[in-house]
Amino acid sequence: MVDRYATFANSAAGKALVTRLGLPAPTPLRRYSPGDPLVTGPVLVDAAPGGRLGPAVRAILDEAGVPLRDPVAAAVEAGASATPGRLAALIFDATGVTSSERLRTLYDFFHAHARTLLPSGRVIVLGTAPEDCAAPREAVAQRALEGLVRTIGKEFGRGSTAQLVYAAPDAPLESTLRFLLSGRSAYVSGQVVRVGPAVGPAAASSVDWEHPLTGKVALVTGAARGIGAAIARVLARDGARVIALDVPAAGEPLAALANEIRGEALQLDVTAADAPARLAAYLRDRHGRVDVVVHNAGITRDRTLGRMSAAEWDSVLDVNLSSQERINDAILDLLPPGGRLIQVSSMNGIAGNRGQANYATSKAGVIGLVQVLAPALAARGVTVNAVAPGFIETPMTARMPVALREVSRRLNSLSQGGLPVDVAETIAWFASPGSSGVTGNVVRVCGQSLIGA
Amino acid sequence: MVDRYATFANSAAGKALVTRLGLPAPTPLRRYSPGDPLVTGPVLVDAAPGGRLGPAVRAILDEAGVPLRDPVAAAVEAGASATPGRLAALIFDATGVTSSERLRTLYDFFHAHARTLLPSGRVIVLGTAPEDCAAPREAVAQRALEGLVRTIGKEFGRGSTAQLVYAAPDAPLESTLRFLLSGRSAYVSGQVVRVGPAVGPAAASSVDWEHPLTGKVALVTGAARGIGAAIARVLARDGARVIALDVPAAGEPLAALANEIRGEALQLDVTAADAPARLAAYLRDRHGRVDVVVHNAGITRDRTLGRMSAAEWDSVLDVNLSSQERINDAILDLLPPGGRLIQVSSMNGIAGNRGQANYATSKAGVIGLVQVLAPALAARGVTVNAVAPGFIETPMTARMPVALREVSRRLNSLSQGGLPVDVAETIAWFASPGSSGVTGNVVRVCGQSLIGA
């Protein structure tokens, strides 16, 4: 599935027409292909005085072979020249900001370098989670970073993204920095991510970043089509043995997909009374465990509340939420330390949406699931996170009325819809053995949509 | 300041034109005037089996003289008749919902009554905060309510609002129910409010709801104009002795306002080095205390980061955030048990906004201030909350480019801008002695704007 408008608007003829009509010409986003370098140019790392993360960040980038720009030279260049050397990413360690007055260091940095980013550039601000700050003034300043980063996401343009990463002192950061710098996070922007100390076994220092999931067993529900198929493909690409699950009616595309990714096809209706027991038995008998569980199966039955039938309410709640709770009860014991439980929520579960009372309720419940299970499973070494997709180009969105679809595509900082692979890459980041400190997060994959709550 | 479009669109000639052009004709919102009844018709209260709040809610409404509709009769009526009796409010106690399967009771209720609300009707769902639920399934179901309530806010239309109130078992609910039912909450919708056990002295059972602030000393910064002046007027109307503070340059309108509301005018630049000490001395010498502090003073200096001057950054951060922290340090000791600290954040502090890096950073910091100070001051009996206004009709927004202003006005569930008084009424709810359980909340006054994070 491609964004046809973006493709058209960036063709030679399209560009001319789009410019003439004053329509937005979204920047083609840099997306990941195996073998790609993390970034497309040099990265500038700077810090507020007293920051604690600079050395760790530089070590990670060094080891990843990322070219670093010297902050002093870059500042001179930015001040002296109208066309300073372009940068692939700006990383600022704001952990030294202990008061609102000291936020000024971030202004100095981003004011100087606002215009230096290459297309699909990356902005990453590192901070301390307000709830982890001892001093009130520090907590306030750290919380203020959210407003800055979300504004940068809306200002910098040309396919660039901006994120705020709140990192605990001993947080394993490498998988998160790699994800956010790379083309894998193409459609993730304006997000606040918390990385804590490692839950379960710490990542081996020798993660194979091209195939981090080698040897892992991953279950993906709703895998036959759309976003689910993209998830299955990306997890398989990253080395996992994928069990692709879908309803019997989707048996044909499911088998084709399983074949393509050398995985297993499992036909099962997740809402069936015996589904949890059957699934648990399958996982136990075939693999003795499951390392990664991705609850992706979801349906919509859109109707305003006054017109919605009880069956439309029940089926959406059951597929999108209740069945996942029942399945978790049956299979969580099969997740070993280092296990990953991943949910698919939705922007509409955050903001609500006209005609989707059933869907928004179920997807808000999924956020509750993450909030409840992340602390509960941490002691067992299992992380729990969710993605919340925004407007993603799928057969479903392709059937939307054209005007609504065009507006929906444009209402975000990247002025385009996302692709199923963007959701899948975010899930693969959660799934990575390197992401042992990433738990309890709900990360929107929405191009920083305007829509929220 | 009025919404001229709304006034025009609801005039006879305007209505015809608006209909012909397909423009939205926003419903004129019911706003509060002294002496108004809480609601304009009967209220239906129902509950999921096992709910714990129904009796308390009914008692509050009974005492307030609100006519209650019998749930059984209402259900029969809704099912039997195409034109059932119209209702002023739908209140549903969802505290009995202990699993996602049981969310069905909310579907049943709102499906039956979705079309029965009078214009400017009210929907209030009561629940248990997910973090207070013992069982995971219950926490998930309670969190799911957010998606439902936000959708109802977007669906029901005609000036109606919808809120989710998470209430602790011993939460004093009366001030919150009164606010949300009344015309005082005209522009508040799609909000999630937490009411906990009383902080400080419990409200006397004999709150004078027409003049709840009688005998209270209230400080309002930035009071000379716009939203600040509206806050000063509403607090004075509710009985408070208001100290209206603003910069010396605004001395004339400030004096006029203080005269109008029989309050005190205090000329002071909050960013001056001696401002905290001078203000503390004033409050101590004149009143020996301050019961309500409203940090409303705020400025904008809009510019993208690359073009923003250091002075533009510094002045916005200092007025909107740092000076408030310095003043708090000097005057918090003057807040007695039952004291109220109230901040003004902004929708753009939540979502970020192009051209407002300084403003969004400062207003995000204000949210941090609430999160830090609410638990810290609870032991001293002081509550801490913030409003986050969306598009409010002020002289500032009147100067916006017309197209941008019209779009900004419409991007919310009420299809119109709010008025300064809407922000002021929300602050008066926080300030009320009855709101002893309302702390740590950031409540948007935005008509449920689409814009968020």
Side-chain angles (χ1 to χ4, degrees):
Chain A
M1 191 60 32
V2 297
D3 179 339
R4 289 206 187 87
Y5 175 83
T7 308
F8 168 73
N10 285 288
S11 69
K15 252 183 197 158
L17 189 65
V18 156
T19 308
R20 194 144 159 213
L21 295 176
L23 293 172
T27 305
L29 303 182
R30 173 171 64 100
R31 288 193 170 86
Y32 172 76
S33 297
D36 278 359
L38 267 188
V39 285
T40 54
V43 173
L44 178 60
V45 181
D46 208 343
R52 59 181 162 79
L53 293 171
V57 168
R58 279 194 198 83
I60 288 169
L61 299 180
D62 264 344
E63 209 181 282
V66 170
L68 292 182
R69 177 71 61 89
D70 176 61
V72 178
V76 171
E77 219 176 308
S81 155
T83 54
R86 308 301 289 285
L87 297 164
L90 300 169
I91 303 182
F92 193 85
D93 172 14
T95 55
V97 174
T98 51
S99 71
S100 57
E101 289 85 354
R102 293 199 180 193
L103 289 164
R104 171 67 186 276
T105 60
L106 285 113
Y107 162 80
D108 291 338
F109 179 76
F110 288 110
H111 172 69
H113 302 294
R115 298 196 193 88
T116 60
L117 272 186
L118 290 161
S120 288
R122 296 288 185 260
V123 171
I124 302 175
V125 173
L126 297 156
T128 303
E131 62 273 19
D132 294 339
C133 295
R137 284 277 178 97
E138 182 185 5
V140 168
Q142 292 292 324
R143 180 60 179 75
L145 296 172
E146 269 199 39
L148 176 64
V149 172
R150 294 199 204 270
T151 296
I152 289 173
K154 293 185 176 185
E155 276 188 10
F156 280 19
R158 299 204 310 149
S160 68
T161 67
Q163 334 283 351
L164 173 58
V165 177
Y166 286 130
D170 41 1
L173 278 178
E174 185 164 5
S175 78
T176 298
L177 288 181
R178 282 178 170 270
F179 171 66
L180 295 177
L181 286 172
S182 75
R184 297 176 196 245
S185 59
Y187 202 62
V188 176
S189 189
Q191 298 305 295
V192 179
V193 173
R194 281 168 165 80
V195 187
V199 149
S205 58
S206 59
V207 173
D208 172 357
W209 295 105
E210 290 283 313
H211 304 98
L213 298 179
T214 301
K216 302 289 185 186
V217 176
L219 170 73
V220 180
T221 70
R225 279 183 272 253
I227 291 174
I231 297 167
R233 285 193 183 97
V234 167
L235 297 184
R237 178 205 69 192
D238 281 1
R241 172 81 176 175
V242 175
I243 301 158
L245 183 154
D246 216 314
V247 288
E252 217 171 301
L254 186 71
L257 175 88
N259 201 37
E260 173 198 329
I261 63 173
R262 301 183 189 191
E264 300 164 29
L266 177 56
Q267 294 185 12
L268 192 69
D269 174 355
V270 289
T271 64
D274 64 349
R278 281 184 55 202
L279 179 56
Y282 180 95
L283 296 171
R284 198 182 302 110
D285 297 348
R286 295 275 188 120
H287 302 282
R289 70 179 200 288
V290 59
D291 300 291
V292 178
V293 173
V294 184
H295 284 296
N296 164 73
I299 60 171
T300 57
R301 298 286 182 272
D302 294 358
R303 197 97 57 187
T304 55
L305 266 169
R307 295 173 191 278
M308 185 181 289
S309 72
E312 287 166 336
W313 175 272
D314 288 344
S315 60
V316 170
L317 266 288
D318 202 28
V319 173
N320 297 7
L321 183 59
S322 306
S323 69
Q324 300 182 15
E325 296 182 276
R326 294 193 300 269
I327 286 174
N328 283 342
D329 287 346
I331 69 170
L332 284 186
D333 280 346
L334 293 168
L335 278 160
R340 303 281 183 258
L341 181 62
I342 300 164
Q343 304 281 144
V344 177
S345 179
S346 162
M347 179 170 84
N348 294 344
I350 293 168
N353 193 26
R354 190 180 149 74
Q356 293 199 310
N358 46 5
Y359 186 77
T361 302
S362 71
K363 293 300 188 178
V366 163
I367 294 173
L369 228 150
V370 171
Q371 292 169 335
V372 163
L373 291 182
L377 297 186
R380 291 167 48 184
V382 173
T383 66
V384 187
N385 297 283
V387 291
F391 186 90
I392 305 294
E393 307 282 347
T394 65
M396 201 169 77
T397 54
R399 287 192 301 268
M400 287 169 72
V402 62
L404 177 63
R405 187 175 67 229
E406 281 309 309
V407 169
S408 302
R409 271 183 185 149
R410 308 299 156 219
L411 281 182
N412 59 70
S413 296
L414 301 171
S415 299
Q416 59 195 289
L419 303 183
V421 71
D422 299 325
V423 179
E425 296 282 15
T426 306
I427 286 173
W429 159 53
F430 290 148
S432 168
S435 298
S436 54
V438 181
T439 192
N441 285 280
V442 177
V443 174
R444 292 173 56 142
V445 184
C446 65
Q448 195 179 27
S449 170
L450 268 187
I451 297 169
Chain B
M1 190 61 34
V2 297
D3 179 340
R4 290 205 187 87
Y5 175 84
T7 308
F8 169 73
N10 285 287
S11 69
K15 253 184 196 156
L17 189 65
V18 156
T19 307
R20 191 142 162 216
L21 294 174
L23 293 172
T27 305
L29 303 182
R30 173 170 63 101
R31 287 193 170 87
Y32 172 76
S33 297
D36 278 358
L38 268 189
V39 284
T40 52
V43 173
L44 177 60
V45 182
D46 207 343
R52 60 181 162 78
L53 293 171
V57 169
R58 279 193 199 85
I60 289 169
L61 299 180
D62 263 345
E63 209 181 284
V66 169
L68 292 183
R69 176 72 62 91
D70 177 62
V72 178
V76 170
E77 220 176 309
S81 157
T83 54
R86 308 301 288 284
L87 297 164
L90 300 170
I91 303 182
F92 193 85
D93 171 13
T95 55
V97 175
T98 52
S99 72
S100 57
E101 289 85 353
R102 292 200 181 193
L103 289 163
R104 171 67 187 274
T105 60
L106 286 114
Y107 162 79
D108 290 337
F109 180 75
F110 287 110
H111 171 69
H113 302 293
R115 297 197 193 87
T116 60
L117 272 186
L118 288 161
S120 287
R122 296 290 184 259
V123 171
I124 302 175
V125 174
L126 298 156
T128 303
E131 62 272 20
D132 293 340
C133 295
R137 284 279 177 96
E138 181 184 6
V140 168
Q142 292 293 322
R143 180 62 179 76
L145 296 173
E146 270 199 36
L148 176 64
V149 172
R150 294 198 204 272
T151 296
I152 289 174
K154 294 184 175 184
E155 275 187 10
F156 281 17
R158 300 203 309 149
S160 69
T161 66
Q163 334 283 350
L164 173 57
V165 177
Y166 286 130
D170 41 2
L173 277 178
E174 184 164 4
S175 79
T176 298
L177 288 181
R178 281 177 171 270
F179 171 67
L180 295 178
L181 286 173
S182 76
R184 297 176 195 247
S185 60
Y187 202 61
V188 176
S189 190
Q191 298 306 294
V192 179
V193 173
R194 282 169 165 77
V195 187
V199 150
S205 59
S206 59
V207 173
D208 172 358
W209 296 105
E210 288 285 312
H211 304 98
L213 298 179
T214 301
K216 302 288 184 186
V217 176
L219 170 72
V220 180
T221 71
R225 280 182 270 254
I227 291 174
I231 297 167
R233 285 194 183 98
V234 167
L235 296 185
R237 177 204 68 192
D238 282 0
R241 171 78 175 176
V242 175
I243 302 159
L245 183 154
D246 215 313
V247 288
E252 216 170 301
L254 186 70
L257 175 86
N259 202 35
E260 173 197 331
I261 63 173
R262 301 182 188 192
E264 302 164 28
L266 176 56
Q267 295 185 13
L268 191 70
D269 175 355
V270 289
T271 65
D274 63 350
R278 280 184 55 202
L279 178 56
Y282 180 95
L283 296 171
R284 198 182 303 110
D285 298 348
R286 296 274 188 120
H287 301 282
R289 71 180 202 287
V290 60
D291 299 291
V292 178
V293 173
V294 184
H295 284 297
N296 164 73
I299 60 171
T300 56
R301 296 287 182 272
D302 294 357
R303 198 97 59 186
T304 56
L305 265 169
R307 295 172 191 280
M308 185 181 289
S309 72
E312 286 166 338
W313 175 273
D314 288 344
S315 59
V316 169
L317 266 288
D318 203 28
V319 173
N320 297 7
L321 183 58
S322 306
S323 69
Q324 299 181 15
E325 296 182 275
R326 294 194 298 271
I327 286 173
N328 284 341
D329 287 347
I331 69 170
L332 283 186
D333 280 346
L334 294 167
L335 277 161
R340 303 281 184 259
L341 181 62
I342 300 164
Q343 304 281 143
V344 177
S345 180
S346 162
M347 179 171 83
N348 294 344
I350 293 168
N353 193 26
R354 190 179 149 74
Q356 294 199 309
N358 47 5
Y359 186 76
T361 302
S362 71
K363 293 300 190 180
V366 162
I367 295 173
L369 228 151
V370 171
Q371 292 169 336
V372 163
L373 291 182
L377 297 185
R380 292 166 48 184
V382 173
T383 66
V384 187
N385 297 282
V387 291
F391 186 90
I392 304 294
E393 308 282 347
T394 65
M396 201 169 77
T397 55
R399 287 192 302 267
M400 287 170 74
V402 62
L404 177 62
R405 188 177 65 227
E406 281 308 309
V407 169
S408 302
R409 271 182 185 151
R410 308 298 156 220
L411 280 182
N412 60 70
S413 297
L414 301 172
S415 299
Q416 59 194 290
L419 303 183
V421 70
D422 299 324
V423 179
E425 296 281 14
T426 306
I427 285 173
W429 160 52
F430 290 148
S432 168
S435 299
S436 55
V438 180
T439 191
N441 285 280
V442 178
V443 173
R444 293 173 56 144
V445 184
C446 66
Q448 193 179 31
S449 170
L450 267 187
I451 297 169

